[in-house]
Each structure stands twice: as C-alpha cells, then as structure tokens.
Amino acid sequence: MPHALPVRHASGSFAYRFDAAAPVDVPSDGRWHSVAVADFPVGLTPWHLSVPALDPAVYAAVELANTSPHALLPGPADILVDGEYTATVAMPALAPGQSRRIGIGVEEGVRVARRVRTTESTSTSLRGATTVVAQTVEIEVANRLGREVRLELLERVPVSDDKDVRVEDAASTPPWTVVAPEEDEQRRRGLRRWRVVVPAGGATTLTAGHQIRLPAGKAVVGGNRRDA
C-alpha cells in the first residue's frame, strides 16, 4: 500500500501503545489485514500557499493538528475536499499536540500574478550623496473556486550586513508580517508573509515594497534594479 510503513520504522522518536476496546481475531494467512483500534477527531485546516517571486503556481495544503491524547503514526491519509476524494498523501508521525502541514498539489482554481516596479533616485545632503532604490510589488489573486480559500503568500526583501546600507519596508496593503529566521525551516532572512482569505469567485490585490538606501558610490551586488 502506498505510503504505508512498518511500525518498527515508523514510530519515530516516541513509543506508544494503543489499547483496543476488545480482543480481535486476525487470520493467520500471511496477508495484510486492517484492524480498527480507535476512532478520534483531529484538527484539519485547509491552506493554499504561493511564493510568486519563484513560482506562479498556488499549492493546496492541509494543516493536520493532533488534538487528541493519542499518538498518530505515519501512513497513508485520504484527502477529501467538499466530500470529494482529492488525493492520498503521506501523513507524518504526530505526537499529541503536534501539528504539521501536508502538501496536496497544485490548485489550478487559484491564480496569482506578480508585478514589480523599481525606481532609483539620488539625493544630496551634508553627509554626502545617497542612492535610494525603491521596489514596489503588486500581487493579484483570483479565486475561481466555488469556496473561499485561505492563502499564504511569501515575499523576501533584501537584508544588509553593511552599516552604510539600510533596507526599509514600505507600507503594505494589507499589512504583511515579518517571518523570523527561526520560524523558517531553512532559516532564511528577509521573509515577509501575507495571510488572506479570498472569497469564492473573488479577487484581491496585495501591495508592498522596500527601499534600499546606500552611499552613491556603492551598488547592490548583481545590479541596483534586479528583482530581490
């Protein structure tokens, strides 16, 4: 069976015993048999994810939260959306209270389009000349599904380790949030996140940007006007 794992290899870093409500007879015929041991609800939250700067596709996912007092071992999980079978995915091991996001695949019913506008100007003060590189990002989202979607979009702004170079966020609509490196699996810096709800058949536009202020005699590696 796809995504099925032997228990000895699937228990991960914890040991757990499942107590059945009554004895069960399992035929000794050398074949696999499914035995229902327990039935309990878990938390399921559908999400859609997109990183438009890298990929215009929108990916569907479900956040699985083990709200039960029992351990969940890894194995196949059938995903149903609006009562219709969508896919069978690999469910990871989850201890009580643990949660994990599971990808389902590309969602063709939700589209994003990203546009970037960059301007460069120079100003002079008593401290010398300063170059300001301003980048504005506009993302349009169209939901063609018959249900609302929770959509998470990620952007990334430059990060400076030079004391003479400053990077400032511009106003964002709706407001985005800063993702701390320790919150990211790859510990990337400069991540920004939007979380929006797009109604069924609806659309929305998100705007944001940043400014890079640097001495006129310096330039950004790769070019001032490159897409960060």
Side-chain angles (χ1 to χ4, degrees):
M1 178 183 296
H3 308 305
L5 296 173
V7 175
R8 290 183 180 273
H9 301 155
S11 57
S13 59
F14 60 88
Y16 191 83
R17 185 185 70 192
F18 292 93
D19 294 321
V24 176
D25 292 328
V26 179
S28 180
D29 55 8
R31 300 171 56 188
W32 287 100
H33 296 275
S34 297
V35 177
V37 175
D39 184 7
F40 47 85
V42 295
L44 293 172
T45 304
W47 279 100
H48 290 76
L49 313 171
S50 181
V51 187
L54 301 179
D55 187 350
V58 174
Y59 293 86
V62 60
E63 186 168 340
L64 175 63
N66 185 7
T67 57
S68 76
H70 307 283
L72 289 179
L73 296 180
D78 292 338
I79 304 298
L80 287 80
V81 178
D82 295 334
E84 295 186 4
Y85 172 80
T86 301
T88 298
V89 299
M91 184 184 72
L94 293 176
Q98 201 175 15
S99 63
R100 187 76 61 86
R101 186 173 289 178
I102 303 173
I104 300 175
V106 175
E107 176 56 80
E108 299 291 351
V110 183
R111 298 283 185 171
V112 298
R114 180 179 184 269
R115 289 184 290 272
V116 178
R117 183 175 69 256
T118 304
T119 61
E120 184 175 340
S121 61
T122 302
S123 61
T124 304
S125 65
L126 294 177
R127 296 184 177 181
T130 300
T131 298
V132 179
V133 181
Q135 185 178 89
T136 302
V137 178
E138 182 180 86
I139 300 174
E140 292 184 355
V141 182
N143 177 16
R144 301 173 183 173
L145 300 176
R147 64 181 186 280
E148 70 175 22
V149 296
R150 295 182 179 89
L151 179 62
E152 179 177 302
L153 297 106
L154 289 178
E155 279 286 329
R156 196 174 184 186
V157 302
V159 176
S160 173
D161 291 321
D162 188 328
K163 62 181 179 61
D164 294 328
V165 179
R166 291 187 299 160
V167 181
E168 302 171 349
D169 282 12
S172 58
T173 305
W176 61 14
T177 58
V178 177
V179 182
E182 55 269 21
E183 296 179 23
D184 179 58
E185 291 183 358
Q186 301 180 33
R187 303 188 71 82
R188 293 166 294 185
R189 298 192 297 168
L191 284 184
R192 304 292 185 266
R193 175 172 57 207
W194 276 295
R195 282 178 175 170
V196 296
V197 177
V198 186
T204 188
T205 300
L206 305 91
T207 58
H210 65 268
Q211 291 184 342
I212 303 175
R213 297 179 178 272
L214 66 161
K218 293 186 176 183
V220 178
V221 175
N224 288 354
R225 294 176 176 268
R226 68 189 181 89
D227 188 2

